[in-house]
Amino acid sequence: MKKKGFLLFLGVLFVAFSSFGVHKFYVSIYQINFVPEKKMLQITSRIFMDDLNFVLEKKFKKRVNIGEPNESEEDVSMMKKYIEENFSIKINGKPKEIHFLSKEIDNNVVVCYFRITAISKITSIEIQNKVLLDLNSDQQNIIQTNINGKKKSLMFEGESFTEILKF
């Protein structure tokens, strides 16, 4: 129970401080919801814009402007490629393709929307999230799930970036 309270506290801090230009903690938040009537997983990620641009510049060796007025289609393409390489989900032991839908900027946070379709039932979900873990040793990726009516929270940091939840 303490871990859930701590994760909730971190989530509130993330949202509260996301309106400031400078941050001293490194956290991103992912919400994963299973919608059985639509047979899909809906995924929302919230990542600090400056961290995302920095890691993309480091990986692709060029200036990236996600969330800035001079953002290009190439910038968005690099962002999608990076997330695709560092965030994956297996449903019932089978890898699933994550479809990028859109993104928006909320103050200095990049909010991305994804989905996985054609899911009739979930007995297990394996989540791998290495997004930004190569950027800063203090990075924490918090994942909140709502699957089959059960809410669970995970935290990925350092060398811990894969977790399996069973239902």
Side-chain angles (χ1 to χ4, degrees):
M1 190 63 162
K2 280 186 176 183
K3 185 176 181 180
K4 284 185 181 183
F6 177 71
L7 292 175
L8 181 61
F9 173 73
L10 280 177
V12 170
L13 274 179
F14 176 75
V15 173
F17 287 110
S18 67
S19 62
F20 299 112
V22 177
H23 61 94
K24 292 184 168 105
F25 59 96
Y26 299 92
V27 66
S28 62
I29 297 180
Y30 297 74
Q31 179 66 47
I32 301 174
N33 296 321
F34 178 49
V35 184
E37 326 58 83
K38 295 183 178 182
K39 296 185 177 186
M40 80 168 60
L41 272 184
Q42 297 173 333
I43 305 163
T44 304
S45 68
R46 298 180 66 82
I47 305 170
F48 281 112
M49 188 170 66
D50 57 340
D51 292 341
L52 185 57
N53 281 321
F54 185 77
V55 79
L56 293 175
E57 288 174 12
K58 182 178 165 187
K59 176 173 176 53
F60 294 104
K61 311 271 190 267
K62 67 183 294 183
R63 176 91 172 116
V64 180
N65 302 295
I66 296 293
E68 298 173 13
N70 55 341
E71 173 185 286
S72 69
E73 286 183 31
E74 183 183 14
D75 293 336
V76 175
S77 178
M78 287 186 287
M79 178 195 73
K80 290 192 299 191
K81 180 178 167 85
Y82 175 79
I83 292 174
E84 180 181 290
E85 291 172 354
N86 290 282
F87 182 72
S88 63
I89 292 180
K90 291 181 182 177
I91 304 293
N92 306 327
K94 296 179 184 164
K96 294 295 182 176
E97 184 177 354
I98 300 173
H99 302 279
F100 174 81
L101 300 174
S102 65
K103 68 156 189 61
E104 63 184 2
I105 306 302
D106 181 9
N107 294 309
N108 66 338
V109 174
V110 180
V111 182
C112 295
Y113 301 97
F114 307 89
R115 74 174 173 204
I116 299 174
T117 57
I119 301 171
S120 56
K121 179 179 163 185
I122 296 179
T123 56
S124 71
I125 180 170
E126 180 177 332
I127 303 166
Q128 181 181 71
N129 188 341
K130 299 186 287 186
V131 175
L132 300 180
L133 292 180
D134 54 343
L135 175 66
N136 190 305
S137 61
D138 294 333
Q139 176 68 35
Q140 297 177 327
N141 294 334
I142 298 171
I143 299 192
Q144 300 168 328
T145 65
N146 186 352
I147 298 172
N148 299 334
K150 296 178 181 164
K151 295 181 180 184
K152 296 186 180 185
S153 296
L154 304 168
M155 183 166 56
F156 298 97
E157 58 187 335
E159 297 296 316
S160 170
F161 51 81
T162 303
E163 197 71 45
I164 299 174
L165 299 175
K166 298 195 184 247
F167 300 94

